[in-house]
Amino acid sequence: MRDVTSWLTRHPDRRTEDQAQQLKTIQARCPALDRTAHHVRAFAELMNDRQGKHLDQWIVSVQADDLPALHTFVTGLGQDLDAVVAGLSLRYSSGAVEGHNNKIKMLKRQMFGRANFDLLRKRVLLAAQGRP
Protein backbone atom coordinates (compact mmCIF):
# COMPACT_ATOMS: atom_id res chain seq x y z
CA MET A 1 0.00 0.00 0.00
CA ARG A 2 2.87 2.36 0.82
CA ASP A 3 4.32 1.84 -2.66
CA VAL A 4 1.01 2.72 -4.33
CA THR A 5 0.72 5.89 -2.27
CA SER A 6 4.25 6.84 -3.26
CA TRP A 7 3.50 6.24 -6.94
CA LEU A 8 0.32 8.32 -6.75
CA THR A 9 2.00 11.30 -5.13
CA ARG A 10 5.20 11.19 -7.18
CA HIS A 11 5.49 13.25 -10.34
CA PRO A 12 4.79 10.97 -13.34
CA ASP A 13 8.22 11.77 -14.82
CA ARG A 14 9.90 10.37 -11.71
CA ARG A 15 8.29 6.92 -11.86
CA THR A 16 10.12 4.03 -13.47
CA GLU A 17 8.45 2.20 -16.35
CA ASP A 18 7.75 -0.74 -14.03
CA GLN A 19 6.18 1.50 -11.38
CA ALA A 20 4.04 3.27 -13.97
CA GLN A 21 2.84 -0.06 -15.38
CA GLN A 22 2.03 -1.47 -11.93
CA LEU A 23 0.12 1.69 -11.01
CA LYS A 24 -1.81 1.55 -14.27
CA THR A 25 -2.75 -2.09 -13.57
CA ILE A 26 -3.90 -1.28 -10.04
CA GLN A 27 -5.93 1.72 -11.20
CA ALA A 28 -7.62 -0.41 -13.85
CA ARG A 29 -8.76 -2.81 -11.10
CA CYS A 30 -9.97 -0.05 -8.76
CA PRO A 31 -11.95 2.79 -10.36
CA ALA A 32 -12.14 4.70 -7.05
CA LEU A 33 -8.34 4.73 -6.84
CA ASP A 34 -8.16 5.94 -10.43
CA ARG A 35 -10.51 8.86 -9.65
CA THR A 36 -8.56 9.61 -6.46
CA ALA A 37 -5.30 9.66 -8.42
CA HIS A 38 -6.83 12.08 -10.91
CA HIS A 39 -7.87 14.47 -8.12
CA VAL A 40 -4.49 14.18 -6.37
CA ARG A 41 -2.64 15.03 -9.59
CA ALA A 42 -4.96 17.96 -10.25
CA PHE A 43 -4.35 19.31 -6.74
CA ALA A 44 -0.59 18.89 -7.17
CA GLU A 45 -0.80 20.97 -10.34
CA LEU A 46 -2.70 23.67 -8.44
CA MET A 47 0.09 23.74 -5.87
CA ASN A 48 3.03 23.57 -8.26
CA ASP A 49 1.65 26.15 -10.68
CA ARG A 50 0.22 28.41 -7.95
CA GLN A 51 -3.29 28.28 -9.38
CA GLY A 52 -5.29 29.05 -6.26
CA LYS A 53 -7.97 30.71 -8.37
CA HIS A 54 -8.94 27.25 -9.69
CA LEU A 55 -9.35 25.69 -6.25
CA ASP A 56 -13.13 26.19 -6.26
CA GLN A 57 -13.43 24.18 -9.49
CA TRP A 58 -11.26 21.42 -8.01
CA ILE A 59 -13.40 21.30 -4.85
CA VAL A 60 -16.61 21.02 -6.91
CA SER A 61 -15.17 18.14 -8.96
CA VAL A 62 -14.05 16.31 -5.79
CA GLN A 63 -17.45 16.74 -4.15
CA ALA A 64 -19.12 15.33 -7.27
CA ASP A 65 -17.22 12.05 -6.75
CA ASP A 66 -18.04 9.50 -4.06
CA LEU A 67 -14.63 9.61 -2.35
CA PRO A 68 -15.11 10.07 1.43
CA ALA A 69 -11.42 10.56 2.23
CA LEU A 70 -11.13 13.43 -0.25
CA HIS A 71 -14.41 14.89 1.02
CA THR A 72 -12.82 15.07 4.48
CA PHE A 73 -9.78 16.81 2.98
CA VAL A 74 -12.00 19.32 1.14
CA THR A 75 -13.93 20.01 4.36
CA GLY A 76 -10.63 20.80 6.08
CA LEU A 77 -9.63 23.15 3.26
CA GLY A 78 -12.98 24.90 3.52
CA GLN A 79 -12.40 25.76 7.18
CA ASP A 80 -9.91 28.42 6.12
CA LEU A 81 -10.45 28.70 2.39
CA ASP A 82 -9.06 32.23 2.03
CA ALA A 83 -5.74 31.19 3.58
CA VAL A 84 -5.56 28.08 1.39
CA VAL A 85 -6.22 30.10 -1.78
CA ALA A 86 -3.56 32.61 -0.72
CA GLY A 87 -1.11 29.78 -0.02
CA LEU A 88 -1.77 28.30 -3.45
CA SER A 89 -1.50 31.67 -5.20
CA LEU A 90 1.15 33.82 -3.56
CA ARG A 91 4.89 33.25 -3.78
CA TYR A 92 5.44 34.14 -0.12
CA SER A 93 6.36 31.38 2.31
CA SER A 94 6.69 31.08 6.07
CA GLY A 95 9.31 28.36 5.64
CA ALA A 96 12.13 30.36 7.22
CA VAL A 97 10.04 31.16 10.29
CA GLU A 98 8.99 27.51 10.59
CA GLY A 99 12.64 26.49 10.38
CA HIS A 100 13.57 28.77 13.28
CA ASN A 101 10.63 27.47 15.33
CA ASN A 102 11.76 23.92 14.65
CA LYS A 103 15.31 24.68 15.77
CA ILE A 104 14.10 26.32 19.00
CA LYS A 105 11.83 23.38 19.78
CA MET A 106 14.71 20.96 19.19
CA LEU A 107 16.95 22.93 21.57
CA LYS A 108 14.17 23.00 24.16
CA ARG A 109 13.75 19.21 23.93
CA GLN A 110 17.50 18.68 24.25
CA MET A 111 17.64 20.89 27.34
CA PHE A 112 14.52 19.53 29.05
CA GLY A 113 15.25 18.78 32.71
CA ARG A 114 18.98 19.51 32.36
CA ALA A 115 19.42 23.20 32.91
CA ASN A 116 17.62 26.39 33.77
CA PHE A 117 16.04 28.99 31.52
CA ASP A 118 19.20 31.14 31.34
CA LEU A 119 21.17 28.40 29.60
CA LEU A 120 18.29 27.66 27.23
CA ARG A 121 18.07 31.36 26.38
CA LYS A 122 21.80 31.49 25.68
CA ARG A 123 21.64 28.44 23.37
CA VAL A 124 18.67 29.89 21.46
CA LEU A 125 20.46 33.21 20.96
CA LEU A 126 23.65 31.47 19.82
CA ALA A 127 21.64 29.30 17.40
CA ALA A 128 20.04 32.45 15.95
CA GLN A 129 23.53 33.79 15.25
CA GLY A 130 24.43 30.56 13.46
CA ARG A 131 26.61 29.13 16.21
CA PRO A 132 25.89 25.74 17.84
Side-chain angles (χ1 to χ4, degrees), residues 5-126:
T5 303
S6 172
W7 299 336
L8 287 175
T9 56
R10 188 177 305 156
H11 193 279
D13 296 343
R14 294 195 177 143
R15 289 185 212 127
T16 65
E17 283 294 322
D18 185 48
Q19 291 170 340
Q21 186 57 44
Q22 287 179 350
L23 181 60
K24 189 175 184 179
T25 303
I26 292 168
Q27 286 177 295
R29 291 183 190 165
C30 181
L33 183 63
D34 188 41
R35 292 191 318 271
T36 300
H38 170 74
H39 292 303
V40 167
R41 279 192 296 274
F43 189 78
E45 287 177 21
L46 289 178
M47 287 189 335
N48 292 336
D49 300 337
R50 290 198 177 113
Q51 298 178 347
K53 61 186 174 202
H54 299 300
L55 183 62
D56 288 338
Q57 296 167 357
W58 182 82
I59 288 173
V60 168
S61 71
V62 168
Q63 289 174 334
D65 260 336
D66 184 27
L67 301 167
L70 286 181
H71 289 184
T72 303
F73 178 67
V74 165
T75 300
L77 293 178
Q79 291 176 352
D80 201 0
L81 191 59
D82 291 338
V84 174
V85 170
L88 291 174
S89 303
L90 303 174
R91 60 183 178 89
Y92 304 106
S93 170
S94 62
V97 173
E98 292 299 327
H100 289 296
N101 285 343
N102 234 3
K103 185 181 279 188
I104 290 170
K105 287 179 182 181
M106 181 202 58
L107 290 171
K108 183 179 168 186
R109 278 187 224 108
Q110 287 177 341
M111 303 288 294
F112 185 77
R114 295 186 180 165
N116 61 16
F117 179 75
D118 294 332
L119 184 57
L120 175 63
R121 180 178 180 274
K122 186 172 185 171
R123 285 200 64 194
V124 168
L125 292 174
L126 287 173

